[in-house]
């Protein structure tokens, strides 16, 4: 951040006034209240998990539902909500999902050493809630992707402080709920943190295996769900998938060619992430930018080939990268990051993409744009990224901030 008082970074890290906090509370409160009014069981996606838990409590197999795509441990985690009245779930689930997204934003800010009471902390969260369509969409669906959106920055925060084993526990627990963060195992491998990786695997496998023994169909995830995911033959789900594997065939590209393109792009992304890690950074954890950029690139590379891959998966990556704006050299300071987000502006109707079934095309543009932007940035990034300059956080009524110092 610049030392000049007129620089935008200096303005952003000063303390937010109470007016901004009121706006933030109103925005998030309105989002939760609207979701509570228009949904049942806390949202369509949460209803799938809740229904699976009810089936299990009644003695059936949750994998009888093809749309239940979670590991067995998610069934046990969802069991308590199966006992709650739907009137309670309608309010509780969107509140918890919103809380996870807020918690993930807080962890991302702390990772990048941005003051939590700063203007940027408040305005960034307002911008995500109002200007990034997947945010409201995730709350509306009640999808458990929210747990990954919280776990990833929390784990990186621990890793940045040298606590890789604790980070492995966090990622392993998140994978046990939803295997979205499984690609983060590569980050532990890049760093040579084998104990942390072993803990990650042990937590995820142990929780899933233990829960599977309590199900009437212990191998249901492997005999039913995994083949379903590999085939990708659900016509309804395919309409909303954002990966090139699903979108390109809709444009006339042969399925085999689409898979080849996606796999090649994903492999290139992993290679760029590894190059970024090898180039190093400051601090025991490699520096916040290094951790965030490598993790985000790995996740985006996985989304290019995963089935399914939805728009709300972007919330695992975008807040983490956005929180680095006050840091010099951050990828979010470049124009390509923001251009990739343009298709996700709420309320904008794009020609020929008006129907809900074609929304996945916009999502694919954003996914591919972010993946290319992060990969190129990782490929070009230089090592030894400097720590961000931190301005004091005076009251917004102060005449001028004191000169910044390096921590």
């Amino acid at each position: 951040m610049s030392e000049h008082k007129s620089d935008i970074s200096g303005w952003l890290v000063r303390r937010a006034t109470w007016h901004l906090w009121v706006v933030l509370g109103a925005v998030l409160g309105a989002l939760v209240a609207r979701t509570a009014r228009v949904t049942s069981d806390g949202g369509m996606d949460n209803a799938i998990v809740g229904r699976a838990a009810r089936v299990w409590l009644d003695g059936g197999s949750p994998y009888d539902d093809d749309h239940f795509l979670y590991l067995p441990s998610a069934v046990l985690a969802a069991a308590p909500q199966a006992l709650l009245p739907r009137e309670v779930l309608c309010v509780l689930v969107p509140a918890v999902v919103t809380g996870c997204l807020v918690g993930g934003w807080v962890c991302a800010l702390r990772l990048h050493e941005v003051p939590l009471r700063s203007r940027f902390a408040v305005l960034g969260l307002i911008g995500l809630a109002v200007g990034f369509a997947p945010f409201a969409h995730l709350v509306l669906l009640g999808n458990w992707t929210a747990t990954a959106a919280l776990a990833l920055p929390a784990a990186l925060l621990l890793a940045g402080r040298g606590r890789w084993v604790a980070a492995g526990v966090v990622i392993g627990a998140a994978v046990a709920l939803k295997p979205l963060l499984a690609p983060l195992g590569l980050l532990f491998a890049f760093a040579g943190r084998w104990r942390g990786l072993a803990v990650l695997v042990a937590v995820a496998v142990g929780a899933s295996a233990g829960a599977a023994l309590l199900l009437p169909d212990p191998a249901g995830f492997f005999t039913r769900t995994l083949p379903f995911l590999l085939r990708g033959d659900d016509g309804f789900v395919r309409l909303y998938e954002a990966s090139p594997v699903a979108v390109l065939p809709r444009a006339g590209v042969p399925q085999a060619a689409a898979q080849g393109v996606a796999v090649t792009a994903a492999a290139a992304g992993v290679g760029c992430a590894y190059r970024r890690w090898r180039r190093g950074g400051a601090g025991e954890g490699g520096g916040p930018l290094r951790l965030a950029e490598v993790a985000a690139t790995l996740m985006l590379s996985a989304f290019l080939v995963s089935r399914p891959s939805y728009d709300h998966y972007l919330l695992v990556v975008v807040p983490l990268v956005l929180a680095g704006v006050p840091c010099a050299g951050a990828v979010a300071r470049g124009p390509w990051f923001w251009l990739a987000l343009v298709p996700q502006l709420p309320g904008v109707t794009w020609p020929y993409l008006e129907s809900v079934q074609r929304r996945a095309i916009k999502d694919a543009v954003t996914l591919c744009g972010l993946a290319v932007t992060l990969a190129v940035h990782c490929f070009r990034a230089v090592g030894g990224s400097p720590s961000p300059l931190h301005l004091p956080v005076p009251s917004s009524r102060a005449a001028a901030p004191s000169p910044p110092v390096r921590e």
Side-chain angles (χ1 to χ4, degrees), residues 145-189:
T145 297
T147 60
L150 171 60
L152 177 55
L156 295 181
L157 181 61
L158 291 169
R161 297 177 177 179
R163 302 174 61 186
W164 286 86
V165 172
V169 172
V170 172
I171 298 296
V175 170
L177 293 177
K178 184 170 185 175
L180 195 63
L181 296 183
L184 262 295
L186 288 174
L187 176 62
F188 288 77

Side-chain angles (χ1 to χ4, degrees), residues 267-277 297 374-376 378-379:
V270 172
C272 290
Y274 181 66
R275 178 185 174 92
R276 175 68 181 95
W277 184 264
T297 304
L374 265 295
V376 171
C378 286
F379 186 83

